[in-house]
Amino acid sequence: MKIPELQDGLRDANLDACILMDTDPNVFYFAGVELERCTLVIPSKGEPAILAVMLEEERIKADGSIGRVLSFSTAVERDKILRGLLKDFRRIAVNRDYLSLRNSDYLKSVAPIHELVDCSGNLSMLRQVKTSREIELIREACRRTDVILGKTISQFDFRTELEVKNHLHEQVIRFGDKLSFDTIVASGKNASMPHYSGSGKLQNGFCVIDFGIRHKGYCSDMTRTVYVGKPGRKDREMYELVRAAQQKGIDAAKDSAVAADVDAAARKALGRHSGSFIHGLGHHIGIEVHDAGFRIAPGSKGVLKSGMAITIEPGMYFPGKSGIRIEDDLLIRKGRGELLTKYMREFTVVG
Ligand SMILES: [Mn+2]
């Protein structure tokens, strides 16, 4: 994706090349293939090259989008190839979020580099607005997530949080996809912890199910909260408050909106309960579930643009008692965002 745009930025900043290494998610972004160990060299002009061990060569050629694959079988060979590739480069763009000190030292030892310049901000800017192909992949990830979570809720007949997770995961496997993060199923008082990680017996009360898949490298992230047992009037009221807050957030999230204002629109709807909303309203999604880019949160000055994909996920948490969260994925458009996850949000009693 967007290699010509990255190269424009390199030339504007007088940089000779961008080097991305190993587990940096930007390797997948630009090269279309996930590798544990590799070096992606994108020169400011000309053809990008990827260095990897011999055993990965065929896969990179089959799955990846980089034509120039340079494989090696020994470290000495690798150094020689890289030295040749970098011999005329002096100012190199790198990503400080992922370049290890070890790799930074290595690059400087192998090539006549004068300066490593952080370009994490540029990478983030490029990735925030999705291409039409990325949008299609995110849309499909969301569609599948919707089907899986919807099925699980409509057939809800579980005794433990683990059984809920297993039911979700079996369907993910059947689709041939992966999880985009560890599924959260938090029932009863566990629901007060936004990132609860247990798998125990299902408790009565709200049950937060936060789940996402990774489809062809693209992530979804979706949460529904159902009620186990017999709800009281107060439970319904609290739930409807979160649902209304989410709708306010969805309505506010459109092209040109400032992230902090979108967050505030949802937060305000919680009224005197806004203190129980202890996290931001949302984040970008893409090749990472928390994708590059600003958060949709108080104080965030980021401006939403058409083609961005974000989550809108207000919640309320009552420590030791319960919690509620509703999360959907939204494609930013002019005028009005497009919901990518659509399963109903009506108060739902199960079991
Ligand atoms: Mn999320």
Side-chain angles (χ1 to χ4, degrees), residues 2-13:
K2 296 196 178 177
I3 286 178
E5 288 87 343
L6 177 70
Q7 290 178 316
D8 285 345
L10 293 174
R11 288 194 296 271
D12 288 346

Side-chain angles (χ1 to χ4, degrees), residues 20-26 94-101 103 118 120 127 288:
L20 302 167
M21 294 180 79
D22 297 346
T23 54
D24 189 332
N26 293 292
V94 293
N95 179 8
R96 71 170 170 200
D97 293 340
Y98 281 92
L99 186 75
S100 66
L101 186 54
N103 279 337
D118 174 54
S120 56
R127 274 174 50 192
E288 294 175 275

